């Protein structure tokens, strides 16, 4: 249903990217609320690839619209990452967070060079640690000032990044593959300029979408009085 509404309201309807965005939306609203027998959570790192001007922006914008309508504005994370400390600070304030990042290829390229961008060099490492720590406590860097060391219970970072195929693949390094970053990404490739332009439908978001999203927002599993700080996922 989310895909259908996103496609109906798009200038360039891209089914694969609409699916990718819908998964990331559901991933964040179910964050810290469900698990499986292996302890897996719904913290997804998702990548949408398509050509310039082919409709990558619309699914991201619709995600924000859905979240605003259900009162999930605190879960809308930054769209640019300035440092690994920035990610930690936002998750410390809001443990379930959706970061929608455009130009993901250029971002990875910047993260590769510790001399040019030392503040970004540790971002991918922290992202991988957070991914693996979603069912546990994650403790940040040790500082002389202990107040700067953050402890996050069940961090739930969801990333939906978009990029052009050339920009993304050309900026990957062998280190990205060997260190496990690529293994954590779900990549969806759009249809490029094969998609025909349409007149976007000016439709309100159906209540059949908003009602279950609100249900997930209100669902507080286990944990008693500490459910917000230390949830026990269903």
């Amino acid at each position: 249903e989310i895909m259908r509404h996103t496609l109906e309201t798009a200038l360039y309807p891209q089914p694969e990217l609409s699916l990718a965005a819908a998964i990331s939306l559901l991933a964040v609203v179910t964050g810290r609320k469900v698990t499986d027998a292996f302890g897996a959570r719904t913290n997804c790192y998702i990548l949408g690839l398509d050509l310039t001007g082919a409709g990558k922006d619309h699914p991201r914008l619709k995600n924000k619209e859905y979240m605003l309508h259900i009162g999930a504005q605190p879960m809308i994370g930054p769209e640019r990452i300035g440092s690994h400390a920035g990610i930690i600070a936002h998750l410390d304030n809001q443990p379930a967070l959706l970061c929608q990042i455009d130009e993901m290829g250029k971002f990875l390229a910047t993260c590769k060079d510790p001399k040019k961008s030392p503040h970004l060099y540790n971002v991918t490492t922290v992202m991988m640690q957070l991914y693996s720590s979603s069912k546990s406590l994650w403790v940040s860097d040790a500082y002389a000032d202990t107040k700067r060391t953050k402890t996050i219970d069940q961090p739930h970072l969801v990333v939906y990044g978009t990029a052009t195929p050339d920009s993304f693949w050309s900026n990957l390094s062998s280190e990205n593959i060997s260190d496990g970053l690529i293994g954590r990404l779900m990549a969806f490739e759009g249809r490029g300029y094969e998609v025909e332009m349409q007149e976007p439908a000016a439709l309100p978001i159906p209540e059949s979408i908003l009602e279950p999203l609100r249900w997930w927002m209100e669902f507080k599993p286990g944990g008693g009085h500490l459910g917000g700080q230390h949830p026990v996922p269903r």
Side-chain angles (χ1 to χ4, degrees), residues 34-65:
V34 290
T35 185
D36 67 7
F38 301 97
R41 301 296 179 90
T42 59
N43 54 317
C44 301
Y45 291 172
I46 301 173
L47 181 67
L49 299 173
D50 214 333
L51 302 174
T52 301
K56 295 191 297 295
D57 290 346
H58 182 69
R60 287 201 319 269
L61 296 175
K62 289 301 294 185
N63 268 358
K64 288 188 282 188
E65 187 179 339

Side-chain angles (χ1 to χ4, degrees), residues 139-151:
V139 183
S140 70
D141 301 346
Y143 295 100
D145 181 1
T146 56
K147 293 180 181 178
R148 295 177 58 194
T149 300
K150 305 295 185 182
T151 300

Side-chain angles (χ1 to χ4, degrees), residues 59-130:
R60 287 201 319 269
L61 296 175
K62 289 301 294 185
N63 268 358
K64 288 188 282 188
E65 187 179 339
Y66 296 131
M67 294 175 77
L68 288 171
H69 272 76
I70 63 171
Q73 186 172 352
M75 290 181 170
I76 301 175
E79 298 180 33
R80 292 173 61 89
I81 296 176
S83 67
H84 74 285
I87 297 177
I88 296 166
H90 279 274
L91 279 172
D92 183 52
N93 184 57
Q94 172 59 51
L97 199 67
L98 170 61
C99 292
Q100 300 190 115
I101 304 170
D102 195 15
E103 303 293 350
M104 193 74 168
K106 294 179 180 178
F107 171 71
L108 284 176
T110 308
C111 292
K112 285 192 297 187
D113 194 336
K115 294 181 180 178
K116 290 183 179 179
S117 305
H119 55 294
L120 289 176
Y121 185 64
N122 289 321
V123 167
T124 54
T125 300
V126 168
M127 286 175 61
M128 289 187 295
Q129 292 175 352
L130 290 168

